[in-house]
């Protein structure tokens, strides 16, 4: 198993180290070999090479069986030119690997329901999967930065563009994955306003009636979906949506789970897959050893499942996390009185040890 590591910035290196401890323990238990190739992405790459995504990073990632990423960005790079921002590195590696499908599962477990800003009876038991289109839409359309127009007024614009094949391949993924879950897809758009959304809704509805009559499809406007998520998150199974709406709704959904430090993600295409926590680089707590590594460790479980079809090892990691939580260990974001507070690396070691029992 050849893994390219992209720890990135802020808390990235700490959480990736904790995840490596868990992956090494899993490899030992189940008898597979892992080799790592650490590369630069984001702000650290700008500092070292002047660009957020050096060529060596792309070469390594393309040659790897999977990529594990921490997080990129931070205030240090807030004022660099838009084309070399750390985020460009992340968007760039997604594009370079053709990772059009981003999976962001959100589960409210009994261990964390008390942390949800929603009432426990509303949040507990929620179990949804956001399927976000990742390489199209407004994040990749033409960005016309602020400039003076012919009338001397400052203006800027960004283009939202989707093609039929881009929508079909992501919708297919959502329908197929829903078949393995509870058979419900909620497709989210803004078709009362946007042309891209009207085409999105038309294509998704056509596909459902033609190829997926067994799937229950609901179409929701994104504003309504944002509201429904906090009113009743349990109504959702698979949420299918475009790049920008998926970005926004997945942050909202993560909050419902109690901590943004709990949500993993998988980004898939036709080749190498990339796995990362959905949270950012949290520069305010970087280097203190208090970041929650669970989202990254859960991303490793997704990696084993989706890139290697290693279902038992993936399940074993998730079970080890539950055991360690059950024993009362928590990083500070999940801490409450009566439990045992542990650091980022301690949490990684506890889960690794649990696997090797
Ligand atoms: C995410 C992040 C990225 C995105 C940023 C950092 C480019 O917010 O993974 O959700 O918008 O996709
Ligand atoms: Mn985001």
């Amino acid at each position: 198993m050849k893994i390219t590591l992209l720890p990135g910035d802020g808390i990235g290196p700490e959480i990736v180290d904790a995840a490596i401890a868990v992956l090494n323990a899993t490899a030992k238990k189940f008898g597979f070999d892992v080799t790592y190739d650490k590369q630069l992405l984001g702000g650290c790459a700008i500092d070292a090479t002047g660009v957020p995504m050096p060529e060596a990073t792309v070469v390594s990632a393309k040659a790897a069986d999977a990529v594990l990423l921490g997080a990129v960005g931070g205030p240090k790079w807030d004022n660099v030119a838009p084309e070399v921002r750390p985020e460009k590195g992340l968007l760039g590696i997604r594009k370079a690997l053709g990772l059009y499908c981003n999976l962001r599962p959100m589960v409210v477990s009994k261990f964390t329901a008390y942390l949800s800003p929603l009432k426990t009876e509303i949040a507990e038991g929620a179990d949804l999967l956001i399927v976000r289109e990742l390489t199209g839409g407004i994040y990749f359309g033409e960005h016309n930065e602020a400039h003076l127009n012919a009338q001397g007024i400052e203006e800027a614009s960004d283009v939202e563009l989707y093609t039929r094949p881009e929508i079909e391949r992501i919708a297919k993924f959502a329908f197929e994955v829903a078949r393995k879950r509870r058979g419900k897809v909620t497709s989210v758009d803004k078709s009362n306003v946007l042309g891209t959304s009207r085409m999105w809704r038309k294509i998704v509805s056509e596909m459902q009636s033609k190829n997926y009559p067994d799937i229950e499809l609901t179409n929701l406007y994104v504003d309504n979906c944002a509201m429904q998520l906090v009113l009743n998150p349990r109504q959702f199974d698979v949420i299918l949506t475009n790049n920008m709406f998926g970005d926004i709704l997945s942050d909202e959904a993560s909050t419902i789970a109690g901590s943004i430090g709990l949500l993993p993600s998988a980004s898939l295409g036709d080749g190498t897959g990339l796995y990362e926590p959905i949270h950012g680089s949290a520069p305010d707590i970087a280097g203190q050893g208090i970041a929650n590594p669970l989202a990254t460790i859960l991303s490793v479980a997704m990696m084993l499942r989706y890139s290697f079809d290693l279902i038992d090892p993936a399940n074993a990691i998730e079970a080890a996390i539950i055991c360690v939580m059950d024993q009362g260990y928590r990083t500070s974001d999940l801490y409450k009185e009566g439990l045992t507070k542990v650091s980022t690396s301690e949490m990684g070691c506890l889960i690794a040890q649990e696997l090797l029992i």
Side-chain angles (χ1 to χ4, degrees), residues 221-285:
Y221 298 143
V222 62
D223 46 353
N224 187 12
C225 180
M227 180 175 75
Q228 295 296 331
L229 267 172
V230 290
L231 280 177
N232 176 15
R234 278 198 300 256
Q235 72 184 285
F236 295 105
D237 180 14
V238 174
I239 294 178
L240 161 65
T241 193
N242 72 16
N243 202 343
M244 180 160 69
F245 298 157
D247 185 24
I248 297 168
L249 293 175
S250 59
D251 268 32
E252 186 189 1
S254 73
T255 311
I256 298 169
S259 166
I260 197 168
L262 290 170
L263 292 223
S265 79
S267 301
L268 309 173
D270 299 322
T272 310
L274 179 146
Y275 301 83
E276 58 172 319
I278 81 147
H279 59 71
S281 59
D284 52 324
I285 60 162

Side-chain angles (χ1 to χ4, degrees), residues 117-183:
L118 299 186
K119 294 190 189 94
T120 310
E121 65 269 26
I122 292 180
E124 194 169 341
D127 177 358
L128 59 84
L129 176 68
I130 297 180
V131 177
R132 169 188 175 193
E133 200 292 323
L134 202 60
T135 49
I138 198 163
Y139 288 17
F140 287 93
E142 190 186 327
H143 305 300
N144 207 341
E145 300 292 334
H147 62 277
L148 295 180
N149 70 12
Q151 288 76 45
I153 297 168
E154 192 169 18
E155 66 175 28
S157 64
D158 302 279
V159 174
E160 163 94 347
L161 180 120
Y162 269 112
T163 62
R164 175 177 273 272
E166 283 176 317
I167 297 172
E168 283 177 348
R169 66 183 179 180
I170 191 73
K172 179 169 188 280
F173 198 102
F175 284 126
E176 304 276 346
V177 80
R179 274 191 177 146
K180 298 185 200 142
R181 293 174 51 101
R182 303 193 300 281

